[in-house]
Amino acid sequence: LSKGILGLRFASVLLRFGVGGFIERFFVWDYSTMPALVNYGGDDDFYSGGSFYTNSTDLGRLCSISSQVDVYYPPRKRARITAPFVVGETLFEQSKQASIDVLPDECLFEIFKRLPGGRERSSCACVSKHWLMLLISIRKGEYESSKAVKENTDSVSDEDDGYLTRCLEGKKATDMRLAAVAVGTSGHGGLGKLSIRGSSSSSGVTNFGLSAIARGCPSLKALSLWNVPRVGDEGLSEIAKECHLLEKLDLCQCPSFSNKDFSLAVIGHYGKSVTNLMLSGLENVSEKGFWVMGNAQGLQKLVSLTITSCRGVTDVSLEAMGKGCANLRQMCLRRCCFISDDGLVAFAKSAGSLESLQLEECNRITQSGTIGVLSNCSLKSLTVVKCMGIKDISSEVPLSCCNSLKSLS
């Protein structure tokens, strides 16, 4: 055979690729000695690891494919012989890397969309930050589950008013935690109430984290944001557009909210389920922002409105909010220094359903304004606190009768 081997010609090399790595099969045939091989009657032999070529040129041709090749002579049986595919004496890097990490983000996105339930999504989110980022980019309505999975929420201990709640405070209030909440709570029926108490000294929550909540928690009913300076119009707009079940919204000390993209206008347009709205310390929202919010005509279900220390609340914007909130019953104005008697009376005429009014440190309000309110709406409760414009009046000033008033403080 040694002479016959010298005349061998390399006919074909078949490489088969598997999921877990690379599988190579090399078949070498000697066409000149084929009759002898067909008539061969002895035991099957394997020759491995040796060099079949004495000429250095022929040897290089074979070694360029594999440094060690197993050769199987008899054609009666097929042998499964594997050898590592070597290039430059090193294995392919892909064989050392998990096959799923080779997939592009588009493929992972399609895989994650088909996860059956919240528990599976939470497990995937724990794998890596990369997977977590991909999962929060998927809106809840984009999941293609074959059937709705009814989650069991009876054993959840952190419920309030019948729905799941989360509260992040101080250094714990970060984008990564919000992303984890958005993915993890889907396995318990979805997040119902979220409270964020940030800190100006830390990086805190940004628009990214709030957008993750908007995409992953469309069932959100109550949102409270306190002292989150890095959350602005973009994040609030995402909440307004995605969370159509939102009923309670509390925004306090959020200096990044402004008139850019009209974040309050988006709330006024999309907040069709909002019943309670509290706005405090929005120093960069001007009169135009509040005016547009009122004229958007979307806050028809608003029952309670509290505004504190907002310079954008003026006579003009207050009247617009009265017209846009037809079912408003409770109104509280604190430290709104630009409101005068004229604006307050115009608001009372517009908000025909108003039952309770509280004025605190609104120093441009006088007796004329309060009497005008009592004369133009069926007010049941009136509270006046530290309003320096309220002074003694002469006995000649006529006082209107208000039969609906039940409480005066």
Side-chain angles (χ1 to χ4, degrees):
L1 290 175
S2 60
K3 294 183 180 179
I5 291 175
L6 294 178
L8 286 174
R9 291 188 303 160
F10 185 70
S12 64
V13 177
L14 177 62
L15 300 178
R16 294 186 59 188
F17 295 85
V19 176
F22 299 96
I23 301 176
E24 295 79 33
R25 299 179 181 179
F26 298 90
F27 299 92
V28 182
W29 303 92
D30 179 10
Y31 292 105
S32 61
T33 59
M34 184 63 69
L37 293 176
V38 171
N39 297 323
Y40 177 73
D43 296 332
D44 295 345
D45 292 327
F46 289 90
Y47 294 87
S48 174
S51 174
F52 302 132
Y53 287 82
T54 56
N55 185 280
S56 60
T57 302
D58 295 334
L59 180 62
R61 293 175 182 174
L62 183 60
C63 290
S64 64
I65 299 174
S66 177
S67 59
Q68 291 192 6
V69 178
D70 293 333
V71 181
Y72 178 66
Y73 286 95
R76 296 180 184 178
K77 299 180 181 179
R78 289 187 178 182
R80 292 186 177 182
I81 302 170
T82 61
F85 187 44
V86 181
V87 176
E89 302 299 331
T90 60
L91 292 173
F92 272 128
E93 294 182 358
Q94 288 88 334
S95 63
K96 299 179 181 179
Q97 188 177 12
S99 58
I100 197 168
D101 291 336
V102 182
L103 295 176
D105 289 350
E106 293 79 5
C107 293
L108 290 175
F109 185 86
E110 292 298 324
I111 293 174
F112 292 154
K113 280 172 56 177
R114 289 160 174 81
L115 292 175
R119 292 181 177 86
E120 290 79 6
R121 298 165 199 161
S122 297
S123 299
C124 290
C126 294
V127 172
S128 66
K129 182 179 178 180
H130 179 211
W131 282 26
L132 175 62
M133 294 298 101
L134 286 175
L135 282 165
I136 64 173
S137 67
I138 305 176
R139 289 175 171 82
K140 192 171 183 179
E142 293 178 333
Y143 286 105
E144 300 179 2
S145 300
S146 57
K147 59 181 179 179
V149 179
K150 185 177 180 181
E151 304 291 351
N152 182 15
T153 59
D154 295 337
S155 60
V156 180
S157 59
D158 50 354
E159 288 188 357
D160 183 24
D161 296 332
Y163 44 79
L164 193 64
T165 67
R166 288 289 183 270
C167 181
L168 303 180
E169 297 183 0
K171 295 182 179 180
K172 293 183 179 180
T174 63
D175 285 345
M176 290 298 101
R177 286 186 179 270
L178 280 182
V181 167
V183 176
T185 54
S186 62
H188 299 282
L191 185 65
K193 182 178 180 180
L194 175 64
S195 178
I196 302 175
R197 301 290 189 269
S199 173
S200 57
S201 61
S202 61
S203 58
V205 176
T206 68
N207 290 326
F208 177 83
L210 204 60
S211 298
I213 292 294
R215 289 190 294 267
C217 307
S219 60
L220 190 67
K221 294 184 178 181
L223 174 64
S224 178
L225 300 177
W226 282 35
N227 198 12
V228 283
R230 298 182 64 188
V231 173
D233 300 311
E234 181 183 347
L236 188 60
S237 297
E238 286 293 319
I239 290 290
K241 293 177 181 177
E242 300 292 339
C243 302
H244 300 294
L245 301 179
L246 191 67
E247 297 177 356
K248 298 179 181 180
L249 180 61
D250 183 6
L251 306 177
C252 179
Q253 300 298 326
C254 302
S256 295
F257 292 150
S258 65
N259 294 332
K260 182 180 179 182
D261 299 330
F262 298 107
S263 56
L264 291 189
V266 175
I267 293 176
H269 179 73
Y270 290 100
K272 300 184 185 299
S273 299
V274 176
T275 59
N276 292 269
L277 180 60
M278 290 167 281
L279 306 174
S280 177
L282 305 183
E283 57 187 30
N284 291 320
V285 180
S286 69
E287 176 187 77
K288 187 176 182 180
F290 285 95
W291 182 86
V292 175
M293 183 183 73
N295 281 279
Q297 300 294 321
L299 297 174
Q300 296 298 316
K301 292 186 178 181
L302 187 65
V303 175
S304 176
L305 175 60
T306 301
I307 302 178
T308 304
S309 301
C310 293
R311 294 180 292 181
V313 179
T314 63
D315 290 346
V316 175
S317 60
L318 185 61
E319 182 180 6
M321 285 185 283
K323 292 179 179 179
C325 306
N327 295 303
L328 186 64
R329 297 179 182 178
Q330 300 175 1
M331 181 65 166
C332 179
L333 297 172
R334 298 191 181 101
R335 293 185 290 279
C336 295
C337 57
F338 295 109
I339 296 177
S340 67
D341 291 338
D342 294 338
L344 188 62
V345 173
F347 169 77
K349 291 180 179 180
S350 302
S353 301
L354 191 65
E355 296 179 354
S356 175
L357 176 63
Q358 179 177 347
L359 304 174
E360 183 175 342
E361 295 188 44
C362 297
N363 296 325
R364 297 182 65 184
I365 301 298
T366 67
Q367 286 92 335
S368 176
T370 55
I371 293 173
V373 170
L374 294 174
S375 303
N376 289 279
C377 65
S378 300
L379 206 63
K380 294 182 180 181
S381 175
L382 175 62
T383 302
V384 181
V385 182
K386 295 183 180 180
C387 293
M388 304 306 293
I390 304 294
K391 301 177 180 179
D392 291 340
I393 60 175
S394 61
S395 58
E396 291 82 9
V397 177
L399 297 178
S400 300
C401 179
C402 184
N403 295 326
S404 62
L405 190 64
K406 302 297 181 182
S407 174
L408 175 63
S409 175

Short mmCIF file of all heavy atoms in Angstrom, two decimals, residues 85-133:
data_model
loop_
_atom_site.label_atom_id
_atom_site.label_comp_id
_atom_site.label_asym_id
_atom_site.label_seq_id
_atom_site.Cartn_x
_atom_site.Cartn_y
_atom_site.Cartn_z
N PHE A 85 -11.02 21.90 13.44
CA PHE A 85 -10.67 22.68 12.26
C PHE A 85 -9.68 23.75 12.68
O PHE A 85 -10.01 24.65 13.45
CB PHE A 85 -11.93 23.31 11.68
CG PHE A 85 -11.68 24.00 10.37
CD1 PHE A 85 -10.92 23.41 9.38
CD2 PHE A 85 -12.24 25.24 10.12
CE1 PHE A 85 -10.72 24.03 8.17
CE2 PHE A 85 -12.05 25.88 8.92
CZ PHE A 85 -11.28 25.26 7.94
N VAL A 86 -8.45 23.61 12.23
CA VAL A 86 -7.36 24.44 12.72
C VAL A 86 -6.94 25.42 11.64
O VAL A 86 -6.76 25.06 10.50
CB VAL A 86 -6.16 23.57 13.14
CG1 VAL A 86 -5.04 24.43 13.68
CG2 VAL A 86 -6.60 22.56 14.18
N VAL A 87 -6.80 26.66 12.03
CA VAL A 87 -6.25 27.69 11.15
C VAL A 87 -5.17 28.40 11.94
O VAL A 87 -5.44 29.03 12.95
CB VAL A 87 -7.32 28.69 10.70
CG1 VAL A 87 -6.69 29.80 9.86
CG2 VAL A 87 -8.39 27.99 9.89
N GLY A 88 -3.97 28.32 11.47
CA GLY A 88 -2.88 28.95 12.17
C GLY A 88 -2.66 28.37 13.56
O GLY A 88 -2.35 29.08 14.49
N GLU A 89 -2.88 27.08 13.71
CA GLU A 89 -2.68 26.33 14.94
C GLU A 89 -3.62 26.76 16.07
O GLU A 89 -3.40 26.46 17.22
CB GLU A 89 -1.22 26.49 15.43
CG GLU A 89 -0.17 26.04 14.43
CD GLU A 89 -0.32 24.56 14.10
OE1 GLU A 89 -0.79 23.82 14.97
OE2 GLU A 89 0.05 24.15 12.99
N THR A 90 -4.72 27.52 15.76
CA THR A 90 -5.67 27.93 16.79
C THR A 90 -7.08 27.58 16.35
O THR A 90 -7.40 27.59 15.17
CB THR A 90 -5.61 29.44 17.06
OG1 THR A 90 -5.92 30.14 15.86
CG2 THR A 90 -4.22 29.85 17.56
N LEU A 91 -7.93 27.24 17.30
CA LEU A 91 -9.32 26.94 17.00
C LEU A 91 -10.07 28.22 16.68
O LEU A 91 -9.69 29.31 17.10
CB LEU A 91 -9.98 26.26 18.19
CG LEU A 91 -9.49 24.85 18.53
CD1 LEU A 91 -10.13 24.40 19.83
CD2 LEU A 91 -9.85 23.89 17.42
N PHE A 92 -11.16 28.10 15.94
CA PHE A 92 -12.03 29.24 15.70
C PHE A 92 -12.54 29.78 17.03
O PHE A 92 -12.91 29.02 17.92
CB PHE A 92 -13.22 28.83 14.82
CG PHE A 92 -12.94 28.94 13.36
CD1 PHE A 92 -13.18 27.86 12.53
CD2 PHE A 92 -12.46 30.11 12.81
CE1 PHE A 92 -12.95 27.95 11.18
CE2 PHE A 92 -12.22 30.21 11.47
CZ PHE A 92 -12.45 29.12 10.64
N GLU A 93 -12.58 31.09 17.14
CA GLU A 93 -13.06 31.69 18.38
C GLU A 93 -14.54 31.38 18.62
O GLU A 93 -14.99 31.34 19.76
CB GLU A 93 -12.87 33.21 18.34
CG GLU A 93 -11.40 33.61 18.32
CD GLU A 93 -11.24 35.12 18.32
OE1 GLU A 93 -12.28 35.80 18.31
OE2 GLU A 93 -10.09 35.59 18.35
N GLN A 94 -15.27 31.12 17.51
CA GLN A 94 -16.70 30.84 17.69
C GLN A 94 -16.94 29.58 18.48
O GLN A 94 -17.96 29.43 19.13
CB GLN A 94 -17.40 30.73 16.33
CG GLN A 94 -17.55 32.08 15.63
CD GLN A 94 -16.33 32.38 14.78
OE1 GLN A 94 -15.26 31.89 15.06
NE2 GLN A 94 -16.51 33.19 13.75
N SER A 95 -16.01 28.61 18.41
CA SER A 95 -16.19 27.37 19.13
C SER A 95 -16.07 27.56 20.63
O SER A 95 -16.56 26.76 21.40
CB SER A 95 -15.16 26.34 18.66
OG SER A 95 -13.85 26.79 18.96
N LYS A 96 -15.43 28.66 21.07
CA LYS A 96 -15.29 28.94 22.48
C LYS A 96 -16.42 29.80 23.01
O LYS A 96 -16.61 29.92 24.21
CB LYS A 96 -13.97 29.65 22.73
CG LYS A 96 -12.73 28.84 22.34
CD LYS A 96 -11.47 29.62 22.61
CE LYS A 96 -10.23 28.84 22.21
NZ LYS A 96 -8.99 29.61 22.46
N GLN A 97 -17.17 30.44 22.12
CA GLN A 97 -18.23 31.37 22.51
C GLN A 97 -19.59 30.69 22.46
O GLN A 97 -19.86 29.90 21.57
CB GLN A 97 -18.22 32.58 21.57
CG GLN A 97 -19.16 33.70 21.99
CD GLN A 97 -19.05 34.89 21.04
OE1 GLN A 97 -18.44 34.76 19.99
NE2 GLN A 97 -19.63 36.00 21.41
N ALA A 98 -20.43 31.01 23.43
CA ALA A 98 -21.78 30.44 23.42
C ALA A 98 -22.49 30.85 22.14
O ALA A 98 -22.44 32.00 21.73
CB ALA A 98 -22.55 30.94 24.64
N SER A 99 -23.14 29.88 21.51
CA SER A 99 -23.71 30.14 20.19
C SER A 99 -24.75 31.23 20.21
O SER A 99 -24.90 31.97 19.24
CB SER A 99 -24.31 28.84 19.64
OG SER A 99 -25.30 28.35 20.55
N ILE A 100 -25.50 31.40 21.34
CA ILE A 100 -26.57 32.41 21.36
C ILE A 100 -25.99 33.81 21.39
O ILE A 100 -26.63 34.78 20.97
CB ILE A 100 -27.51 32.17 22.55
CG1 ILE A 100 -28.82 32.94 22.32
CG2 ILE A 100 -26.86 32.59 23.86
CD1 ILE A 100 -29.91 32.55 23.27
N ASP A 101 -24.74 33.96 21.88
CA ASP A 101 -24.11 35.28 21.92
C ASP A 101 -23.68 35.75 20.54
O ASP A 101 -23.38 36.93 20.36
CB ASP A 101 -22.89 35.26 22.85
CG ASP A 101 -23.30 35.10 24.30
OD1 ASP A 101 -24.46 35.45 24.61
OD2 ASP A 101 -22.49 34.63 25.11
N VAL A 102 -23.63 34.83 19.59
CA VAL A 102 -23.26 35.21 18.23
C VAL A 102 -24.44 35.85 17.51
O VAL A 102 -24.26 36.59 16.55
CB VAL A 102 -22.76 33.96 17.47
CG1 VAL A 102 -22.32 34.33 16.06
CG2 VAL A 102 -21.61 33.32 18.23
N LEU A 103 -25.66 35.59 17.98
CA LEU A 103 -26.84 36.12 17.31
C LEU A 103 -26.91 37.63 17.42
O LEU A 103 -26.61 38.20 18.46
CB LEU A 103 -28.11 35.53 17.93
CG LEU A 103 -28.32 34.03 17.77
CD1 LEU A 103 -29.58 33.60 18.53
CD2 LEU A 103 -28.45 33.66 16.31
N PRO A 104 -27.32 38.30 16.36
CA PRO A 104 -27.49 39.76 16.44
C PRO A 104 -28.69 40.12 17.29
O PRO A 104 -29.55 39.29 17.59
CB PRO A 104 -27.70 40.16 14.96
CG PRO A 104 -28.24 38.93 14.31
CD PRO A 104 -27.59 37.77 15.02
N ASP A 105 -28.77 41.39 17.67
CA ASP A 105 -29.85 41.85 18.54
C ASP A 105 -31.22 41.64 17.90
O ASP A 105 -32.20 41.39 18.61
CB ASP A 105 -29.67 43.33 18.88
CG ASP A 105 -28.50 43.55 19.83
OD1 ASP A 105 -27.98 42.55 20.36
OD2 ASP A 105 -28.12 44.72 20.04
N GLU A 106 -31.29 41.73 16.58
CA GLU A 106 -32.57 41.53 15.91
C GLU A 106 -33.13 40.14 16.14
O GLU A 106 -34.33 39.95 16.34
CB GLU A 106 -32.43 41.80 14.40
CG GLU A 106 -32.14 43.24 14.03
CD GLU A 106 -30.69 43.63 14.22
OE1 GLU A 106 -29.88 42.74 14.56
OE2 GLU A 106 -30.37 44.81 14.05
N CYS A 107 -32.23 39.14 16.13
CA CYS A 107 -32.68 37.76 16.37
C CYS A 107 -33.09 37.55 17.83
O CYS A 107 -34.09 36.90 18.12
CB CYS A 107 -31.56 36.78 15.99
SG CYS A 107 -31.20 36.73 14.22
N LEU A 108 -32.29 38.10 18.75
CA LEU A 108 -32.65 37.99 20.16
C LEU A 108 -33.98 38.68 20.44
O LEU A 108 -34.79 38.19 21.24
CB LEU A 108 -31.55 38.61 21.03
CG LEU A 108 -30.22 37.86 21.08
CD1 LEU A 108 -29.19 38.66 21.86
CD2 LEU A 108 -30.39 36.49 21.70
N PHE A 109 -34.21 39.80 19.77
CA PHE A 109 -35.47 40.52 19.94
C PHE A 109 -36.65 39.63 19.54
O PHE A 109 -37.66 39.57 20.24
CB PHE A 109 -35.44 41.78 19.08
CG PHE A 109 -36.63 42.68 19.25
CD1 PHE A 109 -36.67 43.63 20.24
CD2 PHE A 109 -37.72 42.56 18.40
CE1 PHE A 109 -37.77 44.45 20.40
CE2 PHE A 109 -38.83 43.38 18.54
CZ PHE A 109 -38.85 44.32 19.56
N GLU A 110 -36.51 38.93 18.42
CA GLU A 110 -37.59 38.05 17.96
C GLU A 110 -37.78 36.86 18.91
O GLU A 110 -38.90 36.40 19.11
CB GLU A 110 -37.28 37.55 16.54
CG GLU A 110 -37.34 38.63 15.48
CD GLU A 110 -38.72 39.25 15.38
OE1 GLU A 110 -39.71 38.52 15.55
OE2 GLU A 110 -38.81 40.46 15.13
N ILE A 111 -36.68 36.37 19.49
CA ILE A 111 -36.78 35.26 20.44
C ILE A 111 -37.50 35.72 21.71
O ILE A 111 -38.41 35.06 22.20
CB ILE A 111 -35.38 34.72 20.78
CG1 ILE A 111 -34.76 34.05 19.55
CG2 ILE A 111 -35.44 33.73 21.94
CD1 ILE A 111 -33.33 33.62 19.73
N PHE A 112 -37.09 36.87 22.23
CA PHE A 112 -37.68 37.36 23.47
C PHE A 112 -39.16 37.69 23.30
O PHE A 112 -39.94 37.58 24.24
CB PHE A 112 -36.93 38.60 23.95
CG PHE A 112 -35.52 38.32 24.41
CD1 PHE A 112 -34.56 39.32 24.37
CD2 PHE A 112 -35.16 37.07 24.87
CE1 PHE A 112 -33.26 39.07 24.79
CE2 PHE A 112 -33.88 36.81 25.29
CZ PHE A 112 -32.92 37.81 25.25
N LYS A 113 -39.56 38.10 22.10
CA LYS A 113 -40.96 38.41 21.85
C LYS A 113 -41.85 37.18 22.00
O LYS A 113 -43.06 37.30 22.23
CB LYS A 113 -41.14 38.99 20.44
CG LYS A 113 -40.80 40.45 20.32
CD LYS A 113 -40.80 40.90 18.88
CE LYS A 113 -42.12 40.63 18.19
NZ LYS A 113 -42.13 41.13 16.81
N ARG A 114 -41.26 36.01 21.88
CA ARG A 114 -42.03 34.77 21.93
C ARG A 114 -41.94 34.06 23.28
O ARG A 114 -42.37 32.93 23.41
CB ARG A 114 -41.56 33.84 20.81
CG ARG A 114 -41.99 34.34 19.43
CD ARG A 114 -41.18 33.75 18.30
NE ARG A 114 -41.71 34.14 17.02
CZ ARG A 114 -41.48 35.32 16.44
NH1 ARG A 114 -40.71 36.21 17.04
NH2 ARG A 114 -42.00 35.62 15.25
N LEU A 115 -41.37 34.73 24.27
CA LEU A 115 -41.36 34.14 25.61
C LEU A 115 -42.79 34.05 26.14
O LEU A 115 -43.56 34.99 26.01
CB LEU A 115 -40.51 35.00 26.55
CG LEU A 115 -39.01 35.01 26.25
CD1 LEU A 115 -38.30 35.99 27.16
CD2 LEU A 115 -38.41 33.62 26.40
N PRO A 116 -43.16 32.93 26.76
CA PRO A 116 -44.56 32.70 27.10
C PRO A 116 -45.09 33.54 28.25
O PRO A 116 -46.29 33.81 28.30
CB PRO A 116 -44.60 31.22 27.45
CG PRO A 116 -43.21 30.90 27.87
CD PRO A 116 -42.32 31.76 27.05
N GLY A 117 -44.24 33.95 29.20
CA GLY A 117 -44.78 34.65 30.35
C GLY A 117 -43.75 35.49 31.07
O GLY A 117 -42.57 35.57 30.69
N GLY A 118 -44.20 36.14 32.15
CA GLY A 118 -43.35 37.06 32.89
C GLY A 118 -42.19 36.37 33.60
O GLY A 118 -41.11 36.95 33.72
N ARG A 119 -42.40 35.16 34.08
CA ARG A 119 -41.32 34.47 34.78
C ARG A 119 -40.15 34.18 33.85
O ARG A 119 -38.98 34.31 34.22
CB ARG A 119 -41.85 33.18 35.40
CG ARG A 119 -42.83 33.41 36.54
CD ARG A 119 -43.32 32.10 37.13
NE ARG A 119 -44.21 32.32 38.26
CZ ARG A 119 -45.51 32.54 38.16
NH1 ARG A 119 -46.06 32.56 36.96
NH2 ARG A 119 -46.25 32.73 39.24
N GLU A 120 -40.47 33.78 32.63
CA GLU A 120 -39.41 33.51 31.66
C GLU A 120 -38.67 34.79 31.28
O GLU A 120 -37.44 34.78 31.12
CB GLU A 120 -40.01 32.86 30.40
CG GLU A 120 -40.52 31.44 30.60
CD GLU A 120 -41.88 31.37 31.26
OE1 GLU A 120 -42.48 32.46 31.47
OE2 GLU A 120 -42.33 30.27 31.58
N ARG A 121 -39.40 35.88 31.17
CA ARG A 121 -38.75 37.15 30.85
C ARG A 121 -37.84 37.60 31.98
O ARG A 121 -36.74 38.12 31.75
CB ARG A 121 -39.82 38.21 30.57
CG ARG A 121 -40.69 37.89 29.37
CD ARG A 121 -41.94 38.75 29.36
NE ARG A 121 -42.97 38.16 28.51
CZ ARG A 121 -44.24 38.48 28.59
NH1 ARG A 121 -44.66 39.39 29.46
NH2 ARG A 121 -45.12 37.89 27.80
N SER A 122 -38.29 37.41 33.22
CA SER A 122 -37.47 37.78 34.37
C SER A 122 -36.18 36.96 34.41
O SER A 122 -35.11 37.48 34.73
CB SER A 122 -38.27 37.59 35.66
OG SER A 122 -39.40 38.44 35.68
N SER A 123 -36.29 35.68 34.10
CA SER A 123 -35.10 34.82 34.09
C SER A 123 -34.11 35.28 33.04
O SER A 123 -32.89 35.32 33.29
CB SER A 123 -35.52 33.37 33.84
OG SER A 123 -36.36 32.90 34.86
N CYS A 124 -34.61 35.64 31.87
CA CYS A 124 -33.72 36.12 30.81
C CYS A 124 -33.09 37.46 31.17
O CYS A 124 -31.94 37.73 30.83
CB CYS A 124 -34.50 36.24 29.50
SG CYS A 124 -34.98 34.68 28.76
N ALA A 125 -33.85 38.30 31.86
CA ALA A 125 -33.32 39.62 32.25
C ALA A 125 -32.17 39.50 33.24
O ALA A 125 -31.33 40.40 33.33
CB ALA A 125 -34.44 40.45 32.85
N CYS A 126 -32.11 38.39 33.97
CA CYS A 126 -31.04 38.19 34.95
C CYS A 126 -29.74 37.70 34.30
O CYS A 126 -28.71 37.66 34.98
CB CYS A 126 -31.49 37.18 36.01
SG CYS A 126 -32.85 37.75 37.04
N VAL A 127 -29.78 37.34 33.04
CA VAL A 127 -28.58 36.79 32.39
C VAL A 127 -27.50 37.83 32.25
O VAL A 127 -26.34 37.63 32.60
CB VAL A 127 -28.95 36.20 31.01
CG1 VAL A 127 -27.70 35.80 30.23
CG2 VAL A 127 -29.88 35.01 31.18
N SER A 128 -27.87 39.00 31.72
CA SER A 128 -26.88 40.05 31.50
C SER A 128 -27.57 41.38 31.33
O SER A 128 -28.79 41.45 31.10
CB SER A 128 -26.04 39.74 30.24
OG SER A 128 -26.85 39.80 29.08
N LYS A 129 -26.80 42.43 31.44
CA LYS A 129 -27.33 43.78 31.23
C LYS A 129 -27.79 43.96 29.79
O LYS A 129 -28.78 44.65 29.52
CB LYS A 129 -26.25 44.82 31.58
CG LYS A 129 -26.71 46.26 31.44
CD LYS A 129 -25.60 47.21 31.83
CE LYS A 129 -26.03 48.67 31.65
NZ LYS A 129 -24.94 49.60 32.02
N HIS A 130 -27.09 43.32 28.88
CA HIS A 130 -27.46 43.40 27.46
C HIS A 130 -28.84 42.83 27.22
O HIS A 130 -29.67 43.43 26.53
CB HIS A 130 -26.41 42.65 26.63
CG HIS A 130 -26.68 42.64 25.17
ND1 HIS A 130 -26.31 41.62 24.33
CD2 HIS A 130 -27.31 43.55 24.37
CE1 HIS A 130 -26.69 41.89 23.11
NE2 HIS A 130 -27.30 43.05 23.11
N TRP A 131 -29.10 41.67 27.79
CA TRP A 131 -30.43 41.05 27.63
C TRP A 131 -31.51 41.89 28.30
O TRP A 131 -32.63 42.00 27.80
CB TRP A 131 -30.41 39.64 28.21
CG TRP A 131 -29.76 38.65 27.29
CD1 TRP A 131 -28.81 38.91 26.34
CD2 TRP A 131 -29.99 37.25 27.24
NE1 TRP A 131 -28.44 37.74 25.71
CE2 TRP A 131 -29.15 36.71 26.24
CE3 TRP A 131 -30.82 36.39 27.95
CZ2 TRP A 131 -29.13 35.36 25.93
CZ3 TRP A 131 -30.80 35.04 27.64
CH2 TRP A 131 -29.96 34.53 26.64
N LEU A 132 -31.18 42.48 29.44
CA LEU A 132 -32.15 43.33 30.13
C LEU A 132 -32.53 44.52 29.27
O LEU A 132 -33.70 44.89 29.15
CB LEU A 132 -31.57 43.80 31.46
CG LEU A 132 -32.41 44.81 32.26
CD1 LEU A 132 -33.75 44.20 32.64
CD2 LEU A 132 -31.65 45.25 33.51
N MET A 133 -31.52 45.12 28.62
CA MET A 133 -31.79 46.28 27.76
C MET A 133 -32.68 45.89 26.58
O MET A 133 -33.55 46.66 26.17
CB MET A 133 -30.47 46.86 27.24
CG MET A 133 -29.58 47.48 28.31
SD MET A 133 -30.34 48.88 29.16
CE MET A 133 -30.87 48.11 30.67
#
